[in-house]
Amino acid sequence: MWTHAVAFAALVFVPCAFAQDTTPVTPVERSAERPVPGTLTPVLTLDDAIARVARQHPDLRLVDAQRPVLEARRDAVSLTPPLMLGVDLENALGTGAARGFNAAELTVTLAGVLERGGKLDARRTLAQANLDALAPQREIARLDLMAEVARRYLAVTRAAQQLEIARTDIEQRRRAVAAARLRLRAGASPESVLLTAQAQLAQAELDRDRALQMQQSAQIALAALWQQRSPDFQRVSGDPLQLPALQELNVLADLLQGTPELAVLAGEGRIRDAQLQLARTQARPDFNWQVGIRNSRDSRDTALVAGFSVPLGSVRRAAPEIRAAEAERALTGIERQARELQLYATLAEAHGRYQTARLEVTRLSRDVLPQLQRAEKAAETAWRAGAISYMEWAQLQALRIEARQRQLDAAIAAQTGLIEIQRLTGQTLLVSDATPTTVAVSTEDRP
């Protein structure tokens, strides 16, 4: 079943990690046009980033590079035992009648080993099992790498959202500075109010500069995945605040049966089966045979020689290896159960994190941010009229920015959980009849 996940490996993180499409249940198609080296890409999509990494990252080539090694080993163990040509010289260079080569006997033999018990087939099966294990290992490497791309891409989108929040804060702080300056000139407020507003504006500008630096660092980290020192894109697409509905946990748990991580354990089980079979073949001894011709220089006679040998006690010597192979084979089932439990626990934690964070984002968008926006505008009007103090207005401005920051943090937590779920299952996970959660925030609170 893990092969079903292979088809989604390159695209699995595209359709719902950042809600880049209005129809999130359909994977985003790869762009047919590849970026030309040396040109600047205005907007980088997650699909483009994944395609670049899939073409250039060495981790994917590393697994493929192991295939020729295992193929060579398979070919080596597929060879039968070699024939051996032997030459024996006897009764030469002695004394008396055996002086010189007068009584020498020369024997030329051909020897070999007759393997019994299916040793050749067992070796071939073991080598092929090791070779077959590369496929799920490569898919695990691919999914891990795609998840890392999605996480670094998410860091770029987070920095962009932080920048928008900082710009919103700067805009409202500038209004406060302008209003405080007018009231100071009119004698309606002290100079301390203006200085406080200017200090808060400076802090907002600091947050903007920090967000710009974070964005630059995140872009460099993302571009490094496709071995690029200087990013060739200006910004990325996607909105982390749009969080689609997921399938139920029990449905996702069923998808774990097709994950490549369990396929690796299945491959390990086949390897251990082959090792057990190979160990059992050692209980049947091989025959060593030999045939040849002997020539006696003394009598000028030639005769045929032949023989065979077989080792004794093969069953006793093979028993420890058989027991060890059987014990290792029995571990496969236990390891699979432990891995399934671990995968389910990780999936449940990520699913719960996503659902909780998605709820928080939705409630903040619907119930908190609109009210704070209206309250901030009402406070501005009231302060200009002298009905409230400046600190009350400034506190509402800070609460509005704090709520937006909390919303972004929750969205990032949800997206991180979603990336982990996709890495575990290797599939898209959106509910087919669900619509994405569009964050209902006013245009001033959304970029």
Side-chain angles (χ1 to χ4, degrees), residues 231-276:
D232 61 351
F233 56 92
Q234 295 176 334
R235 60 188 182 90
V236 298
S237 64
D239 186 357
L241 297 178
Q242 291 188 3
L243 302 173
L246 285 183
Q247 297 176 355
E248 296 296 330
L249 179 59
N250 57 347
V251 177
L252 300 181
D254 293 337
L255 296 177
L256 290 177
Q257 298 302 316
T259 181
E261 295 194 34
L262 293 183
V264 168
L265 290 180
E268 182 66 24
R270 287 189 290 270
I271 292 175
R272 291 176 178 177
D273 284 338
Q275 290 174 337
L276 175 59

Side-chain angles (χ1 to χ4, degrees), residues 125-145:
T125 302
L126 178 58
Q128 187 62 45
N130 283 300
L131 190 59
D132 294 340
L134 284 180
Q137 290 175 10
R138 190 182 192 281
E139 291 315 309
I140 288 179
R142 181 187 294 275
L143 288 175
D144 289 343
L145 185 57

Side-chain angles (χ1 to χ4, degrees), residues 374-389:
R374 290 194 293 268
E376 190 271 332
K377 289 184 177 180
E380 179 181 0
T381 302
W383 184 73
R384 291 179 184 273
I388 62 174
S389 66

Side-chain angles (χ1 to χ4, degrees), residues 358-375 399-400 403-404 406-407 437-442 445:
R358 181 173 180 263
L359 174 64
E360 185 175 1
V361 170
T362 304
R363 294 293 297 273
L364 284 169
S365 304
R366 185 185 64 200
D367 302 331
V368 178
L369 283 172
Q371 285 79 351
L372 285 177
Q373 181 185 358
R374 290 194 293 268
L399 286 175
R400 181 186 175 193
R404 286 197 60 184
R406 179 180 175 182
Q407 180 193 45
T437 302
T438 302
V439 183
V441 185
S442 67
D445 275 344

Side-chain angles (χ1 to χ4, degrees), residues 11 14-29 242 244-245 428 430-438:
L11 297 177
V14 178
C16 54
F18 308 108
Q20 297 189 86
D21 198 297
T22 56
T23 308
V25 295
T26 303
V28 178
E29 295 181 358
Q242 291 188 3
T428 55
L430 304 185
V431 178
S432 59
D433 59 349
T435 56
T437 302
T438 302

